[in-house]
Amino acid sequence: MRKKILILLVLLSVLSMAFGSGSIAASKEVSITLVNAEMISNDHVGNEWSYIAKIGKQEVEIGDSLSVSKDKKLTLYGKAVEADKYPDSGSKSVTITPSKYAGKEVKIKVTVTENRGRYSGNKAVWEFTFKVGK
């Protein structure tokens, strides 16, 4: 009887390691996705825009994902550029440790200030949303 219980415990232990949360927790990488990049307000700064978003040093577009080390610091970056004769731009970066944001979104707000003309001083705000996988 003792032998059967011991065999059962060993079998349960092996199955737990193969299919349990231990195999997921051992993963050293996590996926980060650029979910969205959008202008959330514009007080006469411009009508045509472009943006640049980066995960680490890699430029990404909406929907792109990168696998990164979950325990190493990483920089998320967003830049918005007004397209006109004298373009205005704004950028911001945030440094995170992905494991601390697992399953959450990281939002970066970028402000662009009009620097010429009758609307000088007015602002537009962009929001870049990154999703950190579990």
Side-chain angles (χ1 to χ4, degrees):
M1 181 70 164
R2 284 181 136 173
K3 192 172 185 180
K4 287 181 181 180
I5 292 173
L6 183 59
I7 291 172
L8 183 59
L9 287 174
V10 169
L11 182 60
L12 286 173
S13 177
V14 169
L15 289 173
S16 175
M17 286 191 295
F19 298 106
S21 62
S23 62
I24 294 170
S27 175
K28 295 183 191 253
E29 291 195 339
V30 67
S31 177
I32 298 183
T33 304
L34 176 62
V35 177
N36 203 6
E38 67 177 333
M39 184 185 318
I40 58 174
S41 70
N42 185 356
D43 185 21
H44 301 288
V45 178
N47 296 317
E48 295 186 35
W49 295 83
S50 63
Y51 71 87
I52 298 169
K54 293 182 182 180
I55 299 172
K57 294 182 180 184
Q58 179 69 44
E59 276 191 37
V60 292
E61 294 292 329
I62 294 173
D64 289 349
S65 295
L66 287 179
S67 289
V68 298
S69 172
K70 70 178 185 179
D71 295 319
K72 290 187 181 176
K73 289 187 178 191
L74 175 76
T75 299
L76 303 176
Y77 173 83
K79 180 177 183 177
V81 181
E82 173 203 17
D84 69 5
K85 186 175 179 181
Y86 302 104
D88 298 307
S89 66
S91 65
K92 187 172 183 181
S93 62
V94 174
T95 302
I96 66 165
T97 303
S99 62
K100 293 181 181 178
Y101 290 87
K104 298 179 182 173
E105 290 184 340
V106 177
K107 295 184 182 237
I108 300 173
K109 286 194 178 177
V110 175
T111 301
V112 180
T113 304
E114 180 69 43
N115 62 15
R116 301 183 85 130
R118 72 180 190 184
Y119 296 113
S120 183
N122 288 12
K123 299 179 185 314
V125 179
W126 278 70
E127 186 173 76
F128 294 79
T129 305
F130 298 86
K131 174 78 173 176
V132 181
K134 288 187 176 184

